[in-house]
Amino acid sequence: MKTNDVIFQTVAKVVFFMIIFFAVRIFFAGHYYPGGGFVGGLLTSGAIVLLLLAFDLKTVKKILPVDYKWLISLGLLFATGTAAGSVLFNVPFFTHAYDYFQLPLFGKTSLHTAMLFDLGVYLVVIGVTMTIIQTIGESE
Amino acid sequence: MSLVHWAILAPFILAIFVPFFRKKAATIHTGWFVLILPVVLFVSFLQYLPVTMNNNSITHSAAWIPSLGIDFSVYIDGLSLLFILLITGIGSLVVLYSIYYLSKTKESLQHFYVYLLMFMGAMLGVVLSDNVITLYMFWELTSISSFLLIAYWFDRDRSRYGALKSMLITVFGGLMMLGGFLVLSIMGGTFSIRELAVQAPDLYHHPLFLLAMILILLGAFTKSAQFPFYIWLPDAMEAPTPVSAYLHSATMVKAGIYLVARFSPIFAFSSYWFWIVSAVGLFTMIWASFNAVKQTDLKGILAYSTVSQLGLIMGLLGAGSAALYFDSLDDNLYTAAVIAAIFHLINHATFKGSLFMVVGIIDHETGTRDIRRLGGLMSLMPVTFTLSVIGAFSMAGLPPFNGFLSKEMFFLSMVQLSELNLFNLETWGIFFPVLAWIGSVFTFIYSMIIVFTVFTGKFQPEKLEKKPHEAPAGMLVSPIILAVLVIVFGLFPNLLSYSLIQPAAAAIVPSIIPSGEQLDVNIYFWHGITAELLMTIAVVLVGIILYTFLPKWVGLYNYFPGKVTLNNLYDASLYTVERGSNSITKSYMSGFIRSYLVYIFAFFIALLGFTLWAKDAFRYDASNTSPIGYYEIGLLVVLCVATATILMAKSRLTSIISLGAVGYSVSLFFVIFRAPDLALTQLVIETVSTALFLLCFYHLPKLSRHEEKMSFQIGNALIAAGVGITVTLIGITAHSTKLFSSINEYYIENTYKKAGGENMVNVILVDFRGFDTLFEIAVLSVAALGIYALIKLRLEKGDDSVNENK
C-alpha cells in the first residue's frame, strides 16, 4: 500500500527545523527560563521522529548518519568531564564556574560550565530516545 | 609462640608434606614418615610429668586476636597432660597399626594421613587450649577431620551416611557449645577457662548460669556420644578400623569427657550439674550396654560398648561433682568417683584400642565382621585370640586386668552415692548402684560374645571370603603393646596413681584439695570383702548364666518395638525437616508474581498501618493547607474519572488512552501548581510512553487477545484499598507534622547570587544537585542499551554457538 504523502513530507521538512530551533532555544534558555537539556533533548528527538514518520528509517539514517549509542556515551562523557574538570582547579567535584564575557554578535553574555553539563544531558536524552525508537522500529 | 604451641601446630605442618612423601617416596609406606611425629611428641610431653605431679601447671600465651581478647594460650596441667599422652601415645600405635592395615598400593594414603594428622593436631589443641574460642576452633576441627575420616571410603553409601550423621550431630553440639562459651564469657568477662574457674562461686548466682551449663553440656554429650546423641557412633564404624580405634574409642569421643572434667570447677557447684551429668551418663551406660548385646557386627558391639563405657565415665564425673555440691561430705566420694573416672578413662583407651585393632585384624584376615559367620578362630589366630581375651575380660571387669579395678571403683562410688540420701528420699539413692550393676551385667555379656562367639564354636570356612590366618607381626605390635598395658595397669595400678591420676583428679576440681597437699590415691588390687567385690561376683555369676542361655532369651529383643529407635527418629526427623521445608517453600513460593505482590503489599499495610496505630501517630492539621481552587477540583474529577476508567475498561486500548489522560491531567496539575519544567517534561514523556504502550498493545499475541474486563477479586480490592488508605494516612500525617522549615529559602536566595541562573529548577538539577542528574542520565543510558540488547540479542535456548564464536 503505497500512499502519496507529499504534503506530509514537505511540511515535515519545514517543521523539522522549526522544532529543532525551538529545542535549541529551550536548551540554551534553560538556566533562566523553563527548559533545559532534558526537554531540549526530547524535543530534538521529537523532530527526528517526525522525519522518521514522514520518510523511513533508511532515508533518515542517510540524512543523519549518527549512531545514537555514541551520542549517549558522548553525553555521559561531557557530563562527567564537566563534573570532573573542577577537580583540576582544586575545588570539589561538581563545582561549577561562570562569568560574563563580551562576545561578538551576542554582546555581554554569561557563560556557565553548567551549560556543558546540560549539553551532556541533552546529548544523552537524544541518544536514549532515538536508540529506543530506532531499535523498536527496526525490530521485526 | 612456645614449644608447646609448635607441638600443636606440628601435625598440621607435617600434614602439608604428606602428599609430598606419598609422591616422592612411593616405595615407602607414607605412614612411616607420619609415625615419627606422635612418637616424638609423646616422648617430649613426658618431660612435663614431674611438673604436673606436684600439681603445678604451665601456661604459655600467644596473641591471636588481642583486640577481641582471643589468644592462643596453652595450659598444661594434670588433666591436659593425661589427654596429651593418650592422644600421642595411642596416636603412635594407631599410625603403626595403620601402616600394616592400609595397603600401600590400593588406598589413597595421602588423604588418610593428612586427615589423621589434622585430627591429631586439633585434638591436641582441644585439650591444651585455655581460651574457649581457641578450644572451640580446635573442637570443630576434630569434627571436620572426623567427618573426613569416616567417609574415607567415600564410594560407599554407608560411609557417607555415617559421616553426614556424625557431622550433623557433632556440629550441632559444637555450635551449642559455642553459644555456651559465649554466654559464659559474657558472665565472667573473660575467655580464659582458668580465670573463669576462679570466679566460679560468683558465676553460680548469675541468671545465665543454667543456660551456659546446658549449652556446654550439649556440646560435651554430642561429642561423647551420650544418650540420646550416641546414634552417630555406631554409624561411624564405617571408617577404617584404625580410625575407629583412634577417634571413636580412645580420643575424640573423650573430648566430651575432657570438656565436662575441664568445666567441673565452674559448674559443679550446681546440683543440676550433678543430676544431669550423672543421670545422663548412667542411663547411657545401661542403655548402650543393653543394645550392644543384640548387635551382630563386631564393630557395632564395640561402638555400643564405647558409648556405654563413656556413659560410665560421664556418670562417675557427675557423681564426683556431688562432693562439691554437698559441702557436708568428706572428700571420699569425690576421691572415689573422680579417680575412678580418670582411671577408667585410661583403662578404656587401652583395652578398647586393642579390641578395635583385634576386630580390624579379624576383618582383615577373614573378610567379615559378622559374628554369625565367624567362629572357631582360636586355633587359627592364637595371638589375636589372646589379645581379645585380655581386652574383653578387662572390659567385662575381670581380674587381673585393669578393667576390674576401675569397675570396682565405679561400684564403690555408686554405693557411696546411694548412701547420700539425696533430697531425703532414700529410695532415690539406691538407683545408682542398681543401675550400675545391671549395666555391668550386660557389659559382661557382650564382652563374652566378642571372645567366645568369634573364637570358639564351629569353624565355618565356607562362610568366609578369605582363608583366615594369623595377622602379620607388624599389625600385632600395637594391640600387643596395649594389651600389655592392660595387664600392667591391672597388676601395678599405682604406677599411674601419682604420676597421672592424682594430678588429673586434682586438676578437675582444684578447690577441693587443701593447698600443698595431694589427693590420696591408692589403688589396691585386693581390698577385702566389700560390697563392690560382692557386686562384681554377682555380675560374673549372673553374666555367665545369661550368656549361656543367650539363645533362649535373645529373642526378647524382638519384643521391643523395632521401629521406635533413635535412629529411626533421626532419619524421620531429617526426612520430615526436608519434606516440611520443601512443602512450606512450595506453599508460598507459588511462582506467580501476583502472589509475591500480595505478600509485599500485605506486609506494607501491616507494618506501616500497625506502626501508625501502635504509635498513635496519626495527625490531622489543616492550618498549613492552601485553599482549594475550582481548577483543581475540576482536574481532580477528570483524574478520578480517568483512573476509574482504567480499572473498569473492557478493552485494553481504553485503559491505555485513559492512562494517557491521567498523565496529561497530571501535567495540567503541574501547570496549576506552577511547575513549568515538570509540565513540559511530563507532556513529552507521557506522549512517548503512551506511544510505547500502543506498540505493546499492537503486538499482543492473537490467541490471548481477549477483550475482557479485569476480573474482580475481593482480596485484591482489599489490599489495594489498604495500600491506598495507608499511604493517604501517612501523607496526611506527614504533612500535618512539620518539624522544621524547608531549606528552599537557601535556593531562592542563591540561585542567582551564587549559581548565576534564574530557573531555580534547572539550577538545582545541574548545579546544586547535579550529582543526581548525572546518575539519572546514566540510568537512561542503561535503559536504552538494555532495550537495544533485548531486541538485538536473540539467543535461542541452548544455542551456545553465538557465545563460542565471540
Side-chain angles (χ1 to χ4, degrees):
Chain A
M1 192 178 77
K2 180 76 184 164
T3 50
N4 195 343
D5 41 12
V6 158
I7 296 175
F8 182 30
Q9 288 182 350
T10 316
V11 171
K13 281 176 201 166
V14 179
V15 172
F16 172 75
F17 289 102
M18 292 164 69
I19 301 177
I20 287 282
F21 279 127
F22 182 56
V24 171
R25 157 82 175 75
I26 264 193
F27 166 69
F28 278 113
H31 227 54
Y32 299 94
Y33 305 100
F38 199 82
V39 185
L42 281 175
L43 281 175
T44 311
S45 32
I48 304 171
V49 169
L50 182 70
L51 282 189
L52 279 172
L53 291 175
F55 301 94
D56 54 68
L57 267 172
K58 275 183 192 161
T59 323
V60 176
K61 266 190 180 168
K62 216 180 281 171
I63 303 167
L64 295 167
V66 184
D67 185 348
Y68 294 103
K69 294 187 289 302
W70 279 97
L71 221 54
I72 297 177
S73 43
L74 193 69
L76 283 174
L77 198 68
F78 259 104
T80 42
T82 314
S86 60
V87 177
L88 294 178
F89 299 96
N90 211 13
V91 284
F93 189 68
F94 239 114
T95 311
H96 287 304
Y98 70 95
D99 207 346
Y100 297 91
F101 296 95
Q102 202 69 36
L103 293 181
L105 282 176
F106 294 100
K108 188 189 172 204
T109 316
S110 147
L111 286 183
H112 202 306
T113 51
M115 208 261 310
L116 288 174
F117 180 75
D118 229 10
L119 182 65
V121 177
Y122 178 76
L123 292 176
V124 167
V125 170
I126 298 176
V128 164
T129 338
M130 292 319 296
T131 308
I132 294 174
I133 290 172
Q134 251 190 18
T135 321
I136 294 177
E138 277 172 355
S139 79
E140 300 294 312
Chain B
M1 295 280 278
S2 67
L3 267 177
V4 185
H5 287 108
W6 287 112
I8 296 175
L9 295 179
F12 295 105
I13 297 168
L14 183 62
I16 297 173
F17 293 102
V18 164
F20 174 78
F21 293 137
R22 173 68 171 160
K23 204 165 184 185
K24 296 289 171 188
T27 48
I28 307 168
H29 197 287
T30 317
W32 291 112
F33 298 106
V34 176
L35 180 61
I36 303 163
L37 182 74
V39 173
V40 169
L41 286 179
F42 181 77
V43 173
S44 59
F45 272 110
L46 280 179
Q47 63 168 314
Y48 289 100
L49 270 179
V51 179
T52 56
M53 273 168 77
N54 299 322
N55 289 348
N56 291 323
S57 59
I58 293 174
T59 314
H60 293 293
S61 205
W64 180 22
I65 315 174
S67 57
L68 297 179
I70 298 171
D71 51 16
F72 182 16
S73 55
V74 294
Y75 179 60
I76 302 182
D77 61 358
L79 185 65
S80 42
L81 189 65
L82 167 72
F83 273 90
I84 292 166
L85 294 179
L86 274 183
I87 293 161
T88 51
I90 299 200
S92 317
L93 297 177
V94 162
V95 171
L96 179 65
Y97 178 77
S98 70
I99 292 172
Y100 292 93
Y101 187 83
L102 292 173
S103 157
K104 192 165 63 186
T105 45
K106 288 179 202 151
E107 305 284 359
S108 60
L109 292 177
Q110 67 275 34
H111 294 131
F112 182 79
Y113 287 110
V114 165
Y115 302 157
L116 199 72
L117 282 170
M118 238 172 87
F119 171 78
M120 193 183 289
M123 205 59 214
L124 284 177
V126 165
V127 297
L128 279 169
S129 292
D130 178 50
N131 192 291
V132 286
I133 302 297
T134 324
L135 174 63
Y136 171 72
M137 185 189 75
F138 286 118
W139 185 276
E140 290 297 22
L141 264 177
T142 63
S143 294
I144 291 166
S145 47
S146 157
F147 168 76
L148 292 168
L149 282 168
I150 295 170
Y152 175 64
W153 288 310
F154 55 83
D155 44 355
R156 300 182 187 171
D157 275 344
R158 298 290 311 167
S159 297
R160 294 201 302 271
Y161 173 78
L164 185 65
K165 196 176 190 177
S166 76
M167 183 77 163
L168 285 176
I169 292 176
T170 53
V171 167
F172 160 76
L175 288 173
M176 293 297 120
M177 192 185 79
L178 176 66
F181 284 166
L182 293 178
V183 172
L184 194 62
S185 60
I186 289 167
M187 286 156 59
T190 171
F191 284 122
S192 160
I193 298 171
R194 274 172 308 132
E195 289 170 28
L196 284 168
V198 171
Q199 307 180 24
D202 301 331
L203 295 180
Y204 175 43
H205 300 290
H206 200 283
L208 291 173
F209 180 81
L210 195 61
L211 177 70
M213 186 180 98
I214 287 171
L215 288 176
I216 291 178
L217 277 181
L218 271 177
F221 287 167
T222 49
K223 200 74 161 183
S224 275
Q226 299 295 300
F227 188 88
F229 305 111
Y230 69 88
I231 50 170
W232 64 267
L233 192 62
D235 282 304
M237 290 301 129
E238 295 301 320
T241 302
V243 172
S244 310
Y246 189 37
L247 275 68
H248 306 130
S249 74
T251 51
M252 188 179 87
V253 286
K254 296 206 169 99
I257 305 276
Y258 170 79
L259 199 74
V260 168
R262 183 51 92 202
F263 280 86
S264 279
I266 299 175
F267 291 117
F269 293 98
S270 157
S271 61
Y272 292 109
W273 177 266
F274 163 72
W275 279 111
I276 296 175
V277 175
S278 56
V280 169
L282 277 181
F283 186 72
T284 309
M285 182 214 167
I286 190 165
W287 175 264
S289 61
F290 173 69
N291 275 302
V293 175
K294 67 173 177 181
Q295 302 299 315
T296 54
D297 178 26
L298 275 176
K299 273 177 114 176
I301 299 179
L302 288 183
Y304 276 100
S305 104
T306 304
V307 174
S308 157
Q309 307 276 320
L310 290 170
L312 190 159
I313 301 173
M314 197 66 96
L316 282 172
L317 282 177
S321 74
L324 267 128
Y325 179 63
F326 300 101
D327 287 335
S328 54
L329 295 174
D330 56 7
D331 299 343
N332 276 337
L333 172 69
Y334 175 79
T335 331
V338 172
I339 288 176
I342 294 164
F343 192 44
H344 195 68
L345 181 94
I346 303 170
N347 295 344
H348 177 250
T350 52
F351 68 67
K352 192 52 66 67
S354 77
L355 277 177
F356 264 111
M357 291 175 185
V358 163
V359 168
I361 289 170
I362 295 170
D363 189 13
H364 207 262
E365 304 307 334
T366 63
T368 184
R369 301 192 310 247
D370 194 330
I371 54 170
R372 287 165 300 191
R373 291 161 67 186
L374 292 166
L377 294 176
M378 197 197 315
S379 53
L380 287 164
M381 305 166 82
V383 184
T384 317
F385 170 66
T386 316
L387 292 172
S388 73
V389 164
I390 295 170
F393 281 16
S394 175
M395 182 158 74
L398 293 176
F401 308 109
N402 56 7
F404 169 70
L405 297 169
S406 44
K407 186 64 63 75
E408 292 288 278
M409 292 159 77
F410 171 54
F411 284 151
L412 172 68
S413 56
M414 288 300 131
V415 169
Q416 283 186 355
L417 204 57
S418 69
E419 289 159 359
L420 284 180
N421 292 340
L422 300 163
F423 295 115
N424 298 325
L425 291 169
E426 292 177 22
T427 44
W428 277 96
I430 198 71
F431 272 106
F432 286 99
V434 169
L435 287 178
W437 186 82
I438 296 173
S440 301
V441 171
F442 281 108
T443 308
F444 185 85
I445 298 172
Y446 69 68
S447 303
M448 295 308 114
I449 292 176
I450 291 177
V451 176
F452 291 109
T453 319
V454 175
F455 290 98
T456 61
K458 202 166 153 255
F459 179 51
Q460 301 157 302
E462 71 280 357
K463 286 188 179 173
L464 301 178
E465 288 157 21
K466 296 179 183 173
K467 201 171 175 309
H469 57 80
E470 190 54 86
M475 219 173 191
L476 288 170
V477 172
S478 300
I480 285 174
I481 294 175
L482 286 172
V484 167
L485 285 178
V486 167
I487 298 175
V488 169
F489 292 162
L491 294 179
F492 310 103
N494 285 323
L495 268 183
L496 298 175
S497 296
Y498 286 98
S499 56
L500 275 179
I501 296 173
Q502 190 275 334
I508 289 177
V509 183
S511 63
I512 207 164
I513 308 156
S515 59
E517 284 183 36
Q518 291 194 324
L519 283 174
D520 179 32
V521 181
N522 225 346
I523 305 167
Y524 300 104
F525 197 75
W526 172 254
H527 37 73
I529 309 260
T530 49
E532 56 267 25
L533 185 66
L534 295 174
M535 280 168 86
T536 304
I537 292 169
V539 164
V540 174
L541 289 177
V542 176
I544 288 174
I545 294 167
L546 282 177
Y547 175 71
T548 319
F549 297 103
L550 188 63
K552 298 257 197 291
W553 61 272
V554 80
L556 282 175
Y557 278 107
N558 298 331
Y559 288 104
F560 283 93
K563 296 273 176 196
V564 192
T565 62
L566 286 167
N567 267 326
N568 285 345
L569 185 71
Y570 165 85
D571 289 338
S573 58
L574 263 196
Y575 180 76
T576 317
V577 166
E578 213 168 277
R579 287 291 297 264
S581 49
N582 198 7
S583 61
I584 289 172
T585 311
K586 267 187 183 165
S587 69
Y588 72 90
M589 298 302 284
S590 60
F592 292 109
I593 292 179
R594 179 187 300 157
S595 348
Y596 304 149
L597 285 176
V598 167
Y599 307 148
I600 294 170
F601 285 130
F603 269 95
F604 177 87
I605 299 167
L607 285 179
L608 294 183
F610 176 78
T611 313
L612 263 186
W613 174 77
K615 298 276 175 192
D616 195 19
F618 181 73
R619 295 276 177 284
Y620 179 70
D621 176 14
S623 60
N624 268 331
T625 47
S626 316
I628 302 167
Y630 297 115
Y631 289 121
E632 286 136 38
I633 294 173
L635 258 182
L636 193 69
V637 170
V638 172
L639 200 62
C640 290
V641 169
T643 313
T645 318
I646 297 174
L647 294 175
M648 309 291 179
K650 268 196 184 125
S651 110
R652 291 190 172 91
L653 200 57
T654 320
S655 291
I656 293 169
I657 301 295
S658 306
L659 193 63
V662 170
Y664 286 135
S665 3
V666 168
S667 78
L668 281 179
F669 263 116
F670 288 145
V671 171
I672 292 177
F673 291 135
R674 285 170 295 161
D677 292 271
L678 290 183
L680 264 176
T681 315
Q682 171 70 19
L683 265 177
V684 183
I685 287 295
E686 190 58 43
T687 314
V688 171
S689 54
T690 307
L692 288 176
F693 270 122
L694 288 172
L695 187 79
C696 295
F697 173 75
Y698 182 75
H699 286 289
L700 278 178
K702 291 251 179 341
L703 272 177
S704 61
R705 205 194 279 180
H706 312 295
E707 296 287 319
E708 66 172 23
K709 211 176 147 184
M710 192 170 71
S711 67
F712 180 79
Q713 282 173 332
I714 186 76
N716 291 353
L718 279 178
I719 284 181
V723 171
I725 291 167
T726 314
V727 172
T728 311
L729 290 181
I730 290 173
I732 292 172
T733 308
H735 188 262
S736 305
T737 44
K738 280 223 157 67
L739 298 177
F740 35 78
S741 59
S742 164
I743 58 161
N744 56 15
E745 289 301 319
Y746 173 84
Y747 292 127
I748 293 168
E749 261 177 43
N750 291 309
T751 299
Y752 187 75
K753 231 190 285 171
K754 287 193 172 163
E758 280 163 6
N759 179 353
M760 200 171 86
V761 175
N762 201 36
V763 168
I764 290 176
L765 280 179
V766 300
D767 199 336
F768 290 128
R769 311 206 47 177
F771 217 23
D772 295 343
T773 315
L774 179 61
F775 287 100
E776 270 152 30
I777 60 176
V779 167
L780 281 180
S781 315
V782 171
L785 295 179
I787 289 171
Y788 182 77
L790 273 179
I791 289 178
K792 293 285 177 188
L793 194 67
R794 291 204 171 149
L795 291 178
E796 294 299 318
K797 219 177 190 178
D799 180 16
D800 294 332
S801 57
V802 181
N803 290 334
E804 280 164 15
N805 292 341
K806 274 177 185 172

